[in-house]
């Protein structure tokens, strides 16, 4: 892609990265950003001020961005505004936010002059700004994406209106495009569920086992197989877990990193395994009332780097959150999953069908938890099935291949 009136071969040395400012949304794409840095590319992270430390960790440039969604999922009663819907905030709220994103990204592009944009698909204004400037852009999807979806279910609370679903969605989308001065969407109706994402190149992140739907993908969508990445912030005490020899089984239990009423999983797991011949580490990222006794065989920490812990554990107990399950599969860890809602049920079913884990009902019962942990740590077949799912998946784009695809896009006439 090139601006009108230019000629010759474009360079591909400057990439503007625009993430959605939530840990679970950012970390899956970091291996691609690191690969671009290894190739000597100039990366600018455009994001809220709280991401500046991340830019230093990754060795990329930083520019503060103020137009993103304001949210705080760290404790009860706090949430992000985009989940409230037009009945609460008014139907114009989203178009006003997208326009603010659009203008701020345009301003940043004017000063940084990127060869390409790499944007989270939740930052709708970024792709529209790139389109208006005729700059190549790639998007990425970091949550469980339903490849069989007919329309954009993640934004359903914003586009729902009277009339047939496809017509309502397309009308909403074209109105949103019109609010920033770009014309109607040129993609065909069959691409409806992908309209927030780049028509040039879109990366599907996460473990391939957890994909939903088997429909043929648009030509611009690429499934990936990236290694997990976490910031090394406050870590659980895993120093004694460095050796894989002569030790008893180790179990990681983690609830959601965003506040949900799911601490019962941690509490019941600590109780269930208190007298078992295992070691337990529990990570609790959001604020919860820690009304649980911590037995001698367990430690409890706040936010911790799961990618540091997972190579040393024999089982993972979770609510089947997409991020943690994807990481556990990369490391070949057997799973005990107690889903509560949303896509957690699909993730738990996928792992159960693959034979790499056991699903138990919610609310978790200590006896069922204890039995499930004994099953996954004691079954050679479950361990082998989990092992076969570990590491990069053949046929899915690695960070190196994804970097080549993005840079090729940036050089394209």
């Amino acid at each position: 892609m090139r601006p009108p009136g230019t000629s010759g071969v474009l360079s591909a040395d400057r990439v503007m990265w625009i993430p959605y400012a939530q840990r679970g949304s950012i970390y899956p794409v970091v291996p691609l950003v690191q690969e671009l840095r290894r190739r000597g590319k100039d990366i600018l992270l455009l994001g809220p001020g709280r991401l500046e430390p991340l830019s230093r960790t990754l060795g990329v440039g930083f520019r503060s961005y103020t137009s993103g969604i304001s949210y705080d999922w760290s404790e009860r009663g706090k949430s992000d505004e985009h989940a409230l819907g037009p009945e609460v905030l008014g139907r114009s709220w989203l178009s006003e936010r997208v326009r603010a994103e659009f203008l701020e990204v345009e301003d940043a592009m004017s000063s940084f002059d990127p060869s390409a944009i790499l944007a989270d698909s939740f930052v709708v204004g970024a792709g529209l700004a790139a389109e208006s400037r005729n700059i190549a852009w790639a998007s990425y999807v970091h949550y469980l994406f339903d490849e069989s979806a007919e329309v954009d279910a993640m934004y359903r609370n914003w586009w729902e209106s009277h009339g047939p679903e496809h017509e309502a969605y397309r009308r909403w989308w074209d109105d949103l495009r019109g609010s920033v001065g770009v014309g109607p969407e040129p993609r065909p109706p069959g691409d409806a569920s992908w309209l927030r994402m780049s028509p040039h190149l879109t990366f599907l992140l996460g473990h391939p086992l957890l994909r939903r739907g088997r429909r043929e993908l648009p030509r611009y969508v690429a499934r990936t197989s990236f290694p997990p990445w976490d910031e090394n912030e406050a870590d659980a005490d895993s120093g004694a877990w460095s050796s894989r020899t002569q030790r008893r089984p180790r179990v990681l239990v983690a609830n959601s990193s965003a506040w949900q009423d799911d601490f019962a999983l941690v509490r019941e797991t600590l109780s269930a395994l208190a007298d078992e011949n295992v070691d337990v580490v529990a990570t609790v990222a959001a604020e919860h009332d820690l009304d649980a006794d911590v037995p001698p065989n367990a430690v409890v920490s706040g936010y911790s780097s799961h990618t540091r812990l997972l190579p040393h554990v024999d089982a993972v107990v979770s609510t089947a959150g997409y991020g943690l399950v994807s990481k556990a599969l990369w490391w070949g860890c057997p799973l005990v999953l107690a889903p509560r809602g949303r896509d957690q049920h699909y993730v738990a079913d996928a792992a159960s069908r693959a034979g790499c884990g056991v699903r138990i009902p919610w609310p978790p019962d200590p006896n069922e938890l204890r039995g499930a942990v004994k099953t996954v740590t004691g079954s050679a077949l479950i361990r082998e099935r989990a092992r076969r799912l570990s590491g990069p998946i053949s046929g899915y784009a690695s960070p190196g291949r994804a970097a080549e695809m993005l840079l090729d896009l940036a050089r394209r006439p």
Side-chain angles (χ1 to χ4, degrees):
M1 305 294 293
R2 78 168 94 244
T6 62
S7 60
V9 177
L10 293 179
S11 68
D13 293 326
R14 300 169 69 81
V15 177
M16 183 182 292
W17 174 32
I18 311 172
Y20 178 68
Q22 181 194 3
R23 277 192 181 112
S25 304
I26 297 171
Y27 293 170
V29 80
V30 165
L32 170 55
V33 175
Q34 291 176 312
E35 180 64 30
L36 293 169
R37 286 291 298 134
R38 277 192 287 270
R39 296 173 184 232
K41 306 308 175 185
D42 186 6
I43 312 293
L44 177 69
L45 192 166
L46 179 65
R50 62 181 174 273
L51 295 186
E52 188 169 9
L54 174 64
S55 71
R56 292 195 295 268
T57 297
L58 298 176
V60 303
F62 179 79
R63 174 167 168 157
S64 183
Y65 168 83
T66 62
S67 299
I69 291 173
S70 175
Y71 68 89
D72 185 345
W73 286 336
S74 63
E75 58 186 272
R76 181 194 291 268
K78 295 185 176 181
S79 66
D80 59 322
E81 291 178 332
H82 87 281
L84 299 178
E87 294 79 9
V88 177
L89 297 174
R91 190 162 292 278
S92 66
W93 177 82
L94 183 64
S95 60
E96 290 168 359
R97 184 181 68 81
V98 169
R99 179 166 176 76
E101 288 177 348
F102 178 92
L103 294 173
E104 192 160 0
V105 172
E106 269 203 330
D107 184 61
M109 288 192 298
S110 296
S111 59
F112 182 65
D113 190 24
S115 316
I117 302 289
L118 176 64
D120 190 297
S121 63
F122 270 117
V123 188
V124 178
L128 296 176
E131 180 181 341
S132 74
R133 290 290 193 93
N134 200 27
I135 293 177
W137 71 288
S139 61
Y140 55 92
V141 187
H142 49 78
Y143 53 85
L144 177 73
F145 190 81
D146 186 350
E147 296 173 18
S148 65
E150 299 290 339
V151 290
D152 188 349
M154 289 297 292
Y155 266 40
R156 183 182 297 278
N157 56 331
W158 283 102
W159 64 258
E160 271 187 336
S161 62
H162 298 294
E165 191 171 62
H166 282 87
E167 293 179 13
Y169 178 61
R170 181 63 69 128
R171 183 166 57 249
W172 167 82
W173 178 247
D174 283 345
D175 286 347
L176 197 61
R177 290 171 60 88
S179 72
V180 295
V182 298
E185 174 61 52
R187 276 179 276 185
D191 286 11
S193 60
W194 302 90
L195 297 186
R196 275 192 296 116
M197 301 160 209
S198 170
H200 307 148
L201 178 61
T202 291
F203 297 115
L204 284 181
L205 308 177
H207 198 285
L209 172 71
L210 305 181
R211 301 291 182 227
R212 185 171 189 175
R214 294 295 181 264
R215 179 186 298 176
E216 184 177 354
L217 299 178
R219 56 176 175 73
Y220 48 82
V221 178
R223 295 187 180 97
T224 65
S225 182
F226 291 0
W229 189 90
D230 284 321
E231 276 182 286
N232 296 325
E233 296 185 7
D235 285 308
D237 181 9
S238 59
W241 288 23
S242 58
S243 172
R244 300 290 295 179
T245 61
Q246 298 301 312
R247 48 114 177 137
R248 59 187 184 177
R250 298 159 177 167
V251 178
L252 167 65
V253 55
N255 61 338
S256 176
S257 58
W259 197 95
Q260 297 178 39
D261 191 12
D262 62 2
F263 185 69
L265 180 69
V266 175
R267 183 175 57 248
E268 300 303 337
T269 301
L270 294 176
S271 172
L273 302 182
D275 298 320
E276 298 299 313
N277 188 34
V278 297
D279 291 313
V280 181
V281 60
T283 63
V284 184
E287 294 295 325
H288 287 268
D289 181 10
L290 303 183
D291 57 341
D293 294 328
V294 181
N297 67 337
V299 293
V300 177
S301 75
Y303 172 79
S304 300
S305 170
H306 288 145
T307 58
R308 281 191 169 187
L309 293 169
L310 286 167
H312 309 296
V313 304
D314 300 284
V316 173
V317 180
S318 87
T319 54
Y322 187 69
L324 178 54
V325 172
S326 294
K327 295 174 189 176
L329 290 173
W330 179 274
W331 293 110
C333 296
L335 297 152
V336 174
L337 302 174
R340 291 186 68 247
R342 304 186 313 279
D343 61 351
Q344 294 172 355
H345 292 290
Y346 177 81
V347 170
D349 286 344
S352 179
R353 285 195 303 269
C356 61
V358 173
R359 174 178 178 163
I360 62 173
W362 187 274
D365 175 78
N367 291 326
E368 290 182 318
L369 276 166
R370 186 182 306 112
V373 169
K374 286 182 176 180
T375 295
V376 300
T377 56
S379 169
L381 179 59
I382 291 177
R383 293 198 305 270
E384 175 60 18
R385 285 173 173 168
R387 186 196 65 78
R388 289 178 181 176
L389 294 168
S390 66
I393 305 298
S394 176
Y396 292 79
S398 66
R401 175 59 186 141
E404 292 171 3
M405 295 167 73
L406 177 59
L407 297 177
D408 286 346
L409 175 69
R411 298 185 188 102
R412 193 174 302 168

